[in-house]
Amino acid sequence: DAGITQSPRHKVTETGTPVTLRCHQTENHRYMYWYRQDPGHGLRLIHYSYGVKDTDKGEVSDGYSVSRSKTEDFLLTLESATSSQTSVYFCAIGGAGNYGYTFGSGTRLTVV
Amino acid sequence: AQKVTQAQTEISVVEKEDVTLDCVYETRDTTYYLFWYKQPPSGELVFLIRRNSFDEQNEISGRYSWNFQKSTSSFNFTITASQVVDSAVYFCALDNAGNMLTFGGGTRLMVKP
């Protein structure tokens, strides 16, 4: 059991269309995160959640929204996808100082 | 604000060579955690180590070792007798206990047979 799963694993979408990525955890962690990975930038935080319905912006939040209606699910939405949002997206759980972080397997998103 | 710098974007070595990956960080907090992750060609992020700011002891795990020096704000990672399976991108990251992990840009290590 992976503990954290992302879906879909790969997606190709057209510019201007909405896209939702899903992160699901079975660890009952309070904190969940969305990162994007781009060459030369490492991973950058998009949004994070510290509880159901409690979310906050990260470093690169423009163009993204998130929702967390249940402890186990954290959704990332691109309201109107652009080519600059082509990236690999990682979800993570953990943090809060005394914990490490566990990452999902990633979602490769291509916006054409 | 916190920042992590991995100045080496790409390193190429021949198998069995030792290699050190540099990591320099910036933070104003006195309590923080430092991490190293490995990202093999398959793409997943593999946790290697977590070190808190109050523990400056160096750590060794098999062929891997880590040198944490607060005086120079560095947390360097050494692979001894490198192997082809060590080829990957390695990330250093900082958590200031504010629940936000900041990554360096990564170092791509290529180990040639």
Side-chain angles (χ1 to χ4, degrees), chain A residues 45-107:
Chain A
L45 183 66
I46 304 171
H47 282 281
Y48 68 100
S49 170
Y50 46 96
V52 173
K53 291 189 168 54
D54 293 323
T55 65
D56 206 349
K57 297 178 180 180
E59 179 187 356
V60 290
S61 59
D62 287 349
Y64 302 95
S65 62
V66 290
S67 66
R68 192 162 177 207
S69 58
K70 298 185 291 185
T71 298
E72 55 266 36
D73 289 325
F74 191 32
L75 304 180
L76 176 71
T77 297
L78 291 64
E79 302 290 347
S80 177
T82 67
S83 58
S84 64
Q85 294 176 312
T86 292
S87 187
V88 179
Y89 291 86
F90 285 96
C91 177
I93 59 175
N98 292 324
Y99 300 96
Y101 294 80
T102 301
F103 286 81
S105 300
T107 294

Side-chain angles (χ1 to χ4, degrees), chain B residues 8 12 39 76:
Chain B
Q8 307 148 306
S12 181
Q39 186 176 46
N76 296 337

Side-chain angles (χ1 to χ4, degrees), chain B residues 13-17 19 38 63-64 79-88 90 109-113:
Chain B
V13 299
V14 177
E15 206 170 21
K16 297 183 183 175
E17 284 186 27
V19 58
K38 174 182 180 180
R63 296 184 296 105
Y64 294 171
I79 302 174
T80 302
S82 59
Q83 299 176 1
V84 172
V85 293
D86 295 326
S87 297
Y90 291 87
L109 174 65
M110 293 178 290
V111 182
K112 300 178 181 178

Side-chain angles (χ1 to χ4, degrees), chain A residues 6 21 32-37 42-48 59-60 76 87-93 101 103 107, chain B residues 45 94 99-103:
Chain A
Q6 293 183 229
L21 308 182
M32 298 185 74
Y33 310 81
W34 277 107
Y35 287 85
R36 61 176 287 173
Q37 181 180 7
L43 280 78
R44 293 177 292 174
L45 183 66
I46 304 171
H47 282 281
Y48 68 100
E59 179 187 356
V60 290
L76 176 71
S87 187
V88 179
Y89 291 86
F90 285 96
C91 177
I93 59 175
Y101 294 80
F103 286 81
T107 294
Chain B
L45 285 160
L94 168 68
N99 308 305
M100 197 169 295
L101 199 57
T102 299
F103 283 82

Side-chain angles (χ1 to χ4, degrees), chain B residues 43-62:
Chain B
E44 73 273 24
L45 285 160
V46 178
F47 167 81
L48 295 178
I49 189 172
R50 178 175 69 117
R51 176 53 52 92
N52 75 58
S53 55
F54 299 107
D55 181 3
E56 285 192 75
Q57 276 193 324
N58 291 332
E59 182 155 339
I60 298 174
S61 177

Side-chain angles (χ1 to χ4, degrees), chain A residues 11-19 78 80-82 86 109-112:
Chain A
K11 186 170 182 66
V12 179
T13 192
E14 292 186 351
T15 299
T17 60
V19 178
L78 291 64
S80 177
T82 67
T86 292
L109 177 67
T110 303
V111 183
V112 297

